[in-house]
Amino acid sequence: MSLLDPTVTDRPLVDIDLAELAAISRELETKPASAALRWAWERFGDDIVLAASFQDCVLVDVASRAAPGIEVVFLDTQYHFAETLWYVDRVRERYDLNLRIMEPLVPPDDLWQTDPDECCAMRKVEPLARALQGKQAWVTGLRRVEAPTRASSPIAHLDVGRGIVKVNPLATWTDQDIADYKRDHDLLEHPLASQGYPSIGCWPCTRPVEPGADPRSGRWSESGKMECGLHGWSNP
Ligand code: SF4
């Protein structure tokens, strides 16, 4: 088995009835994001992990109320902006996060210049696979409006490639919903958010965008790449 092949898993499928999971997901469609997190927290307890990108802290804030103490994972690719690392520290302090930082098994290199898919596989997908070992479910900040590849994502479903449940509490949220939540809850802003970076990933693959442009158009803007591999192959 290749350590870096995210599509290979030898774990048994999580023990959950798929019809029941689909019904729960449909029910959660019309409920607040906190309901999805509360359901997942009660159903899976310590066997769940929340993967946070730290481009904002909306999901972390919702989780701090609905699933206090949930393990939060940050994938430190070694190519994050200094502002993102600063932000992770501030959010960790503010919420007293149960934070686990995952690093790649390889040192910094130039692969992002020649093979970004493989770079993401080594710096994001493989570290996440390690973080999910022994877990039954994971929570993501994925939203349907972010990309056509995400448009049909359910609130909760079986992540087929990983054999565990994937929960997307913010799936139905628009960009305006995110802005409203940040304002209403006085959330800490990522320092780059006000500098033209509505979507923030690694510095080599993130550019500022013009006002009004597609928020994700600054990601991998010089290639046709749209996904880092964390989500692309796991939709139902
Ligand atoms: S976003 Fe860019 S730098 Fe970051 S892991 Fe992917 S290819 Fe590498």
Side-chain angles (χ1 to χ4, degrees):
M1 180 193 300
S2 165
L3 186 61
L4 298 181
D5 184 349
T7 65
V8 175
T9 177
D10 56 4
R11 80 170 83 200
L13 288 182
V14 60
D15 183 18
I16 194 165
D17 182 273
L18 295 185
E20 177 201 345
L21 182 60
I24 290 167
S25 184
R26 282 194 298 277
E27 208 179 302
L28 291 170
E29 280 282 327
T30 53
K31 296 193 172 171
S34 56
L37 268 157
R38 198 167 295 116
W39 166 78
W41 186 233
E42 288 171 3
R43 176 70 172 76
F44 299 108
D46 289 340
D47 288 335
I48 194 166
V49 158
L50 184 154
S53 68
F54 287 93
Q55 66 175 359
D56 63 48
C57 60
V58 171
L59 186 61
V60 164
D61 188 86
V62 176
S64 72
R65 302 159 202 270
I70 191 171
E71 183 175 86
V72 175
V73 165
F74 173 61
L75 304 175
D76 183 355
T77 62
Q78 301 174 323
Y79 295 136
H80 282 294
F81 290 100
E83 288 88 343
T84 299
L85 301 179
W86 176 89
Y87 187 67
V88 170
D89 276 344
R90 296 293 81 71
V91 174
R92 185 215 299 246
E93 284 170 10
R94 179 160 174 174
Y95 294 95
D96 192 22
L97 284 187
N98 175 15
L99 181 67
R100 184 179 183 195
I101 297 178
M102 301 299 298
E103 295 184 344
L105 298 174
V106 293
D109 53 33
D110 296 331
L111 198 56
W112 58 271
Q113 295 179 338
T114 55
D115 192 345
D117 286 339
E118 186 62 12
C119 185
C120 282
M122 293 198 298
R123 297 182 180 281
K124 291 185 175 183
V125 180
E126 187 281 328
L128 178 67
R130 266 186 286 129
L132 296 181
Q133 273 173 16
K135 303 295 182 184
Q136 294 187 58
W138 68 304
V139 181
T140 89
L142 177 153
R143 293 185 296 123
R144 292 174 188 158
V145 297
E146 290 172 326
T149 46
R150 304 181 178 190
S152 60
S153 298
I155 304 286
H157 67 94
L158 179 69
D159 182 334
V160 177
R162 299 182 174 96
I164 63 176
V165 170
K166 182 176 177 186
V167 186
N168 308 307
L170 308 181
T172 62
W173 286 37
T174 64
D175 293 343
Q176 189 60 51
D177 291 332
I178 293 287
D180 291 348
Y181 189 93
K182 285 183 191 174
R183 184 199 60 229
D184 294 347
H185 295 82
D186 194 23
L187 295 196
L188 194 61
E189 276 282 16
H190 191 298
L192 294 179
S194 59
Q195 297 179 41
Y197 292 84
S199 179
I200 304 164
C202 299
W203 65 260
C205 303
T206 306
R207 300 280 177 271
V209 302
E210 295 297 323
D214 175 356
R216 282 183 68 86
S217 61
R219 303 287 293 279
W220 302 290
S221 56
E222 280 147 33
S223 73
K225 186 171 164 66
M226 293 183 67
E227 292 282 357
C228 56
L230 297 180
H231 303 295
W233 50 272
S234 58
N235 284 335

